[in-house]
Each structure stands twice: as C-alpha cells, then as structure tokens.
Amino acid sequence: MKALYSSPMRVYLSLLVLALFGVWMGTRLPVSLFPNSAKPHVFVNLGYGSMDQEDFKASYGGTIEARLRGINSAGLRVEKLLADYHNASASYDVEFQWGSDPQEALREATNLMNATIASYPKEMRDSLNIYIRSQNSGFFAASFYSETRSLDAVYHDIEPLLTPRLSQIEDAKDAELWNPTHKKIVIELDPSRMASLQLTPAMIQTAVQEKTVGFGAGSVTIGDQNYPIVVRKPNIKVEDLATLRVTSPTGQSLLLGDIAKIDYRVDEGNTHIMKTSGSPSLILWSSPKPGGNVKKMSEDILDLIARVQPLLPKDVKYKILVDPSEFIRGAIENVFHEVLIGSLLAVFILFLFIGSFRNVVTAAIEIPLSMVLAFILMKFSGMNLNLISLGGLALASGMNVDASVVVLENIFRHIEKEDVPKDFEGKLRIVLTAVKEVRLAVVASTIASLVVFAPLAFTSDLSYAVLGDLAKTVIFSHGFSAFVALLLVPTVRLHLIKNAKNPKADIGHSPIEGKLKALEGLYRRGLGRFVESRKLQAGTALGIFAALVLLFTFALPTLPKEVLGTPDTDWVNLGMSTQGNTLVRQMDSEVEEVETRLLRKFGDEIQYTFTQIHSPNNGTIMARLKDKRKMKDFWKRLEGE
C-alpha cells in the first residue's frame, strides 16, 4: 500500500481506467423491466393432419407428453406440462424450473420434438410450431386508427411505411403491424362428394400446398454466411384455386371448385376486434430478442413512429398502449434522484461534522465510483439493468460513504494529535498508520453489512426473482466502496497534505462543534444514569417489549401482504365475460354498451380507451386515466358502478 499511496497518479489513472471500463460495461448491460430469473414456458403446437382428435391422442399424444415431460439435461428440468387437444391441433405448455436458461429450454424442446416427429406424417411435421414466451422482458404496443376509414384502407396506407423499417429495429425479435380484420381464403369441403371420391382432407391440403407454397432451391455462400434460396409461388386468387385439379385415389381428375366452396373473407368466428376510443384499430406489437435491450427497442420504435408520422394520412391517429421504456426511464430517473438526494444528504451531514468542503468531496466521491464499478461485476455475472437491480444501486448509495468517513476521520485524528513532519515520508507514515488501524474494521464492517444480503443472492425460485438482483447489486456496489475507501481516500488525503505547510489547518472544524459537544455531554450524562439505574434499565426493556407486542398484535396484521408492491400505473382494466355468443360481433356490441356507460360516467377523467374482443364470450376494456394519482378513488367508484 505504501507504494500506491506514494504514487497518486498511478492510483488515479488505475481507478479512472476501471471507472471508464465500468461505464462501458454499464452500456453493454441488457435492459429489461424485471430480472432474468424466470420460469420459461415453451409452447409446442402440432396439427393432426388427416387424423381426428382421439386417434392422434392415442397414437402420438402420449409419446409426445412423455418425452416433453422427461426433458432433464443441460441444467433443465420440466416442472409442469399442460396438454390441450383441440379439434384440429394439439398444444403443449412446457413449464421449466426457476432459473432455467430460456433459449436453452427452447433449443432442447425444439431438438426433442424434431427427433420425435421425424417419422410422423408429413402434414404433421409441416405444422410443427415451437416458441417461447418471455415473461420478464416486456413488450411494446401501439394502436393506429382512423375515425373515417376502414381498417383495411388504413392498413393499406401505413403498412408499406412501417413494416420495412420495423425489420431494421436491432433489438426487436417480433415487430409487426397486425390487422385484426385480415382476410383469408377459406376452403369448405363437401363431405358427401369427398366420401364418394375417396378423397381425404390431407390430399386436398397437399394439392393446395403444391400450388401455393414455395420450395427450396439450394443456397449461396457469401463470405462466412450461408443464404438459402427459396423459390416463391405467385400470389394465388380464389378463382385460381377453384380451377386447381385434384386427382382421386381412383385416378379421376376434377376441379377443386367442384368439391369445395372457396371464399375470401374475414373469419367471423375467430377474429379479434380491437378499438381505440371506439374506432377499430391496427396494432403495432414488438417483443425484444433474447438478451435484447427492451428500452432501446421501444425508443427506436417511438423514434420510427415520430419519423413516419408526417408521411401518414391526416386522418390516421395513434396511441401508445404499452411502452416499457417509460417505466425503465422512470426507474433510472428515480435511481439518479435517490442517489442525488443521498449524496447531497451525505455531503451536508459530513460538512456539519467535518467543516471542510474539500474533505467532504473526498469521501462523497465514493458513492458514484462504487456504483460504476459495480457494473463490471453485474456484466460478468449475467445480470441486467431492471427495476430490481436499479433499486439495489439506490439502496447501496446511502451505505457507500461509511467506509470513507471512517478512514478519513482516523487520518484527521492522527494529524491532530501528532506533530506532522514536514517531509513527505513523515506524512506518508501518518497516513499509513491511520489506515492500518481501521483497515480490518472497515473490511469487517463491510462484510457484516454484505452478510445480510448474501443469502438473498443465493436463494432460488420466486424469492431470487424478486430479491436476487437487488442483493447482488448491493453486494457489488458496497463491496467496492471498501476498496475505494482504503485506496482512493488515503491517496487523495496524502496528495492534499503533501505540500501543505500546516496540515492541521487543512482539517477544518464543524460549524456546529459547540452544539455537538453539548449534545455529547448530554448523551454521556444520560448514558451514565442509565447504566447506574437498574430500575431505568428494567423499565426501558419492559417498555420496548410491550411496544413490540402491541405492534405485532395490532399493527402488523393490518399491513398489506403481497409479493410485489402495487404498480404505479394510469391504466385500468375492466374484464367482461358472457355465455352463449357464437360470433365476436355479439360480444363487441355488449362491450360497446358497457364502454358507453363508462365514458358517460367517467369520461372527464379518461384520456382514451382501448378495447379487445378476444372471443365471442370474452372482452376487455382498458381505460387510461388523465391523472394516475386519482387511481385509488377512481377504482373504488368504478367498482361500485
């Protein structure tokens, strides 16, 4: 340590390099709403082909369930498997244990399913769809609508402007503009004609795919990249499919239009209806890539919308429904706000006790430096910036100045009580002696603080998902604070008194020193009286015990109990369900009636609404408040209504 303290530029340069490295690491950290730890859900969808539900379940369903449930490799273990067999397809929800790598889970399930269905009929293999749902990363959503034109017309105008640019968003995995009223070609087969000709739906499907689906034609290698060549079929119209020739098992050739009704229409039974303030809406939806920066993704999309807006037709409006960057920006602003308040309070308190602004800055610099250095370990440990980890940095900011104050105060004590030599070696000896006396105490007190948080960093399941990142950031940041206190503070102090003729004068004195001494005397007398009086000790102990009993009996049961605090939001969701409807239009009229009542009663307090009709019997009305501070009162009145 002597060599380091005597070469301040070496210390400053080393810490500057580390700080810059920490800032760079901080910019490389993934940004999301919540920590990485989660229970990944991998979804597998598989069509039956020409089989019916019971035959598929008996022949293949049991094997698929057993193999998916048996995934137990590469640190993965399936905790739950939900299988659902529909009219034409089966879906499997594979839930993995806490802390599993989502991409490893997706890769393992994909490899297993590809191997499992390798011998299945082609129509089944072609229908396989595997994807993963990210619960923690968040997503972006916005609606586009016109009060005067249809959705198809709006989509026709803005899709060419948005879709090519959305594909260029670096952190986006699935970014698309979705039209809920998109149309599709529906082929309704004539059962009696099919039976008489010995035709199966699979034969029709194969014939249609040959006419409409492209095929691979090799690949091209450019540098290290290999690009597949796909020959796409031309766009098919309804009349083209009607003239498609199908050959029966008996060799008879006939037109598809003779055995099926072919139409191009909206599927009224399955389509979603989405409206913004009563107007049918398109949805721009995007989720981040694995490990992607959801904040940057959202900001890039917002920037894209702002750039495209002047090119949109005048009647097209848009509303931002979900913007995770807003919450993350708020969290970052809160962290800086708390750190600023903590730093100012620390500087103020230190100034009251030390009385020298230069000495106060020496100790206070530990707060931002420790936070920046913590980014290095956060990156190496695979963490991300999220609401929980940022909260940990804010929590640690108030603790990080402690070690510097201890080191600085002990250096002052030695300078005050000793005759400080004028030569550099003598001043170095005093600083080394002061640091040596408190070095073990600083390390021990830091470890004692970190021991409280260490168990939270090594928990599992839900407790780790909620508190793990907070504990780690506190450990990293507060741990570095001891390193900074024992290295930087003595170096700066020695640098300041190196050429000082009278180091004692540089220490400074508290502006409230007289009041502090009076308070110290009062405390000494009170403590002495307490130590000498058995009755006072017993009365104090009984009073504290009685207060604890009262608190645990009456106060604790009244505190709300929840895993996470109620989020600060300006959205209210009103869910609706009914029975007996067969078309989404029926549910739409019922939701519209409730929305009209809602706006008539609370319209002055609502910015806009967004409604979703999920199915013929389920819908949701989302209302965005003008003032989220009135949420609690609004919620009660809405519930009563």
Side-chain angles (χ1 to χ4, degrees):
M1 299 301 287
K2 180 178 179 180
L4 287 174
Y5 295 157
S6 59
S7 304
M9 293 309 297
R10 187 185 305 172
V11 174
Y12 300 155
L13 187 60
S14 299
L15 287 178
L16 177 62
V17 171
L18 275 177
L20 292 176
F21 184 59
V23 171
W24 182 76
M25 282 292 201
T27 62
R28 306 288 293 178
L29 285 171
V31 181
S32 63
L33 285 175
F34 302 108
N36 288 326
S37 181
K39 299 180 76 173
H41 284 250
V42 174
F43 294 89
V44 178
N45 292 326
L46 186 65
Y48 297 154
S50 58
M51 301 181 68
D52 62 24
Q53 179 177 330
E54 292 302 321
D55 287 343
F56 177 86
K57 191 174 180 180
S59 302
Y60 302 109
T63 300
I64 294 174
E65 289 185 39
R67 293 193 177 183
L68 287 174
R69 192 177 285 111
I71 294 178
N72 189 5
S73 63
L76 301 174
R77 181 169 61 84
V78 175
E79 286 198 347
K80 186 189 298 183
L81 174 68
L82 297 177
D84 195 0
Y85 296 90
H86 312 284
N87 291 331
S89 64
S91 61
Y92 304 91
D93 177 0
V94 189
E95 180 181 309
F96 289 83
Q97 64 184 358
W98 278 95
S100 299
D101 183 347
Q103 295 312 304
E104 188 63 34
L106 177 61
R107 185 161 41 249
E108 188 71 18
T110 301
N111 293 338
L112 183 142
M113 284 302 301
N114 286 332
T116 300
I117 70 170
S119 60
Y120 289 10
K122 184 178 184 299
E123 59 265 32
M124 291 187 189
R125 300 198 305 270
D126 292 342
S127 69
L128 178 64
N129 180 30
I130 305 176
Y131 63 97
I132 190 166
R133 184 181 68 196
S134 177
Q135 296 176 313
N136 293 351
S137 59
F139 63 91
F140 177 92
S143 65
F144 291 81
Y145 62 99
S146 170
E147 297 174 349
T148 59
R149 291 190 297 154
S150 69
L151 272 189
D152 288 338
V154 175
Y155 183 82
H156 180 269
D157 285 342
I158 70 174
E159 190 274 337
L161 297 174
L162 287 175
T163 299
R165 294 173 172 87
L166 286 173
S167 64
Q168 298 172 6
I169 302 296
E170 182 180 354
D171 290 278
K173 179 185 68 172
D174 300 309
E176 64 174 335
L177 182 68
W178 184 53
N179 182 2
T181 61
H182 68 285
K183 298 177 176 63
K184 59 183 179 181
I185 295 177
V186 179
I187 302 175
E188 296 181 359
L189 302 175
D190 184 339
S192 58
R193 289 279 291 159
M194 294 280 290
S196 64
L197 296 168
Q198 301 179 20
L199 285 170
T200 65
M203 296 176 183
I204 305 298
Q205 181 181 2
T206 301
V208 171
Q209 285 179 339
E210 290 177 353
K211 180 73 173 178
T212 59
V213 179
F215 58 90
S219 61
V220 174
T221 301
I222 302 177
D224 296 331
Q225 299 295 323
N226 186 272
Y227 300 94
I229 299 174
V230 178
V231 177
R232 300 189 181 279
K233 295 294 180 70
N235 292 332
I236 301 299
K237 299 179 180 180
V238 173
E239 50 268 27
D240 295 331
L241 283 178
T243 59
L244 175 65
R245 290 204 166 270
V246 180
T247 303
S248 70
T250 59
Q252 183 179 355
S253 177
L254 61 157
L255 300 178
L256 180 59
D258 294 336
I259 58 173
K261 179 182 178 182
I262 307 172
D263 195 10
Y264 181 63
R265 66 174 187 262
V266 175
D267 187 354
E268 293 288 344
N270 296 316
T271 189
H272 285 59
I273 296 178
M274 299 186 179
K275 295 182 178 181
T276 305
S277 297
S279 299
S281 305
L282 305 172
I283 299 299
L284 191 162
W285 189 90
S286 178
S287 62
K289 295 177 180 177
N293 188 330
V294 68
K295 176 176 177 291
K296 185 176 183 301
M297 179 201 75
S298 301
E299 290 173 343
D300 287 346
I301 295 177
L302 288 171
D303 179 64
L304 168 61
I305 294 175
R307 285 188 284 112
V308 170
Q309 187 178 10
L311 305 176
L312 299 178
K314 299 300 182 183
D315 62 306
V316 174
K317 303 177 182 179
Y318 75 90
K319 297 292 184 184
I320 304 302
L321 304 177
V322 180
D323 177 15
S325 67
E326 178 183 354
F327 300 105
I328 296 173
R329 281 195 302 270
I332 294 175
E333 289 173 2
N334 287 338
V335 168
F336 281 114
H337 180 261
E338 299 302 327
V339 169
L340 179 61
I341 292 178
S343 301
L344 292 177
L345 287 175
V347 168
F348 177 69
I349 297 299
L350 289 176
F351 180 77
L352 287 180
F353 282 83
I354 296 176
S356 170
F357 182 74
R358 185 166 60 173
N359 295 332
V360 168
V361 172
T362 303
I365 197 175
E366 183 177 7
I367 297 175
L369 187 56
S370 299
M371 293 177 62
V372 169
L373 295 179
F375 289 147
I376 300 174
L377 295 183
M378 289 175 65
K379 178 64 176 178
F380 284 130
S381 61
M383 295 174 59
N384 58 7
L385 286 177
N386 54 71
L387 301 182
I388 305 299
S389 61
L390 289 173
L393 290 176
L395 176 62
S397 65
M399 305 162 56
N400 288 348
V401 76
D402 297 348
S404 291
V405 172
V406 171
V407 173
L408 192 62
E409 180 63 26
N410 203 47
I411 293 175
F412 289 164
R413 187 175 66 85
H414 276 270
I415 292 176
E416 283 183 330
K417 77 175 185 178
E418 297 182 26
D419 292 330
V420 182
K422 294 183 179 181
D423 62 301
F424 177 76
E425 288 296 326
K427 295 173 182 176
L428 176 60
R429 176 183 55 78
I430 290 179
V431 171
L432 284 172
T433 302
V435 174
K436 185 177 180 180
E437 287 180 352
V438 298
R439 183 170 56 204
L440 290 179
V442 166
V443 173
S445 64
T446 302
I447 293 175
S449 299
L450 299 185
V451 163
V452 177
F453 294 93
L456 298 176
F458 294 100
T459 54
S460 60
D461 301 345
L462 180 61
S463 58
Y464 179 81
V466 176
L467 298 172
D469 277 14
L470 182 141
K472 285 184 177 181
T473 49
V474 170
I475 291 172
F476 296 158
S477 182
H478 193 50
F480 271 119
S481 72
F483 168 74
V484 173
L486 293 174
L487 182 61
L488 181 61
V489 172
T491 303
V492 173
R493 189 71 254 159
L494 182 62
H495 193 193
L496 292 175
I497 66 173
K498 178 179 179 180
N499 299 317
K501 295 181 179 179
N502 184 12
K504 295 180 185 293
D506 190 52
I507 293 176
H509 297 281
S510 170
I512 57 171
E513 188 168 353
K515 293 182 175 59
L516 290 175
K517 288 186 176 180
L519 183 62
E520 184 181 342
L522 180 64
Y523 171 71
R524 185 184 295 111
R525 291 191 298 272
L527 182 60
R529 185 174 299 176
F530 180 81
V531 171
E532 293 172 358
S533 174
R534 297 279 183 165
K535 293 182 179 180
L536 191 58
Q537 295 175 22
T540 302
L542 288 174
I544 294 175
F545 179 75
L548 289 174
V549 171
L550 291 174
L551 287 172
F552 276 98
T553 304
F554 298 103
L556 186 62
T558 63
L559 294 176
K561 299 173 180 64
E562 51 192 354
V563 175
L564 293 173
T566 303
D568 185 20
T569 179
D570 52 5
W571 280 104
V572 175
N573 285 10
L574 177 61
M576 296 179 57
S577 63
T578 185
Q579 293 181 348
N581 292 340
T582 57
L583 299 175
V584 293
R585 295 294 177 188
Q586 295 172 282
M587 191 65 193
D588 181 33
S589 62
E590 297 183 29
V591 171
E592 186 175 342
E593 180 182 344
V594 175
E595 183 182 10
T596 302
R597 289 175 51 198
L598 175 71
L599 293 175
R600 187 185 303 122
K601 182 79 174 180
F602 305 103
D604 293 340
E605 303 173 63
I606 295 174
Q607 293 186 57
Y608 56 89
T609 60
F610 179 74
T611 58
Q612 300 182 73
I613 313 301
H614 312 290
S615 68
N617 293 291
N618 286 282
T620 303
I621 302 174
M622 299 168 59
R624 191 162 202 171
L625 302 188
K626 294 178 180 178
D627 187 353
K628 63 182 178 182
R629 293 173 298 180
K630 298 180 180 179
M631 172 65 74
K632 189 174 182 180
D633 175 66
F634 181 88
W635 184 277
K636 288 182 178 179
R637 289 186 287 120
L638 178 62
E639 206 169 28
E641 184 70 14

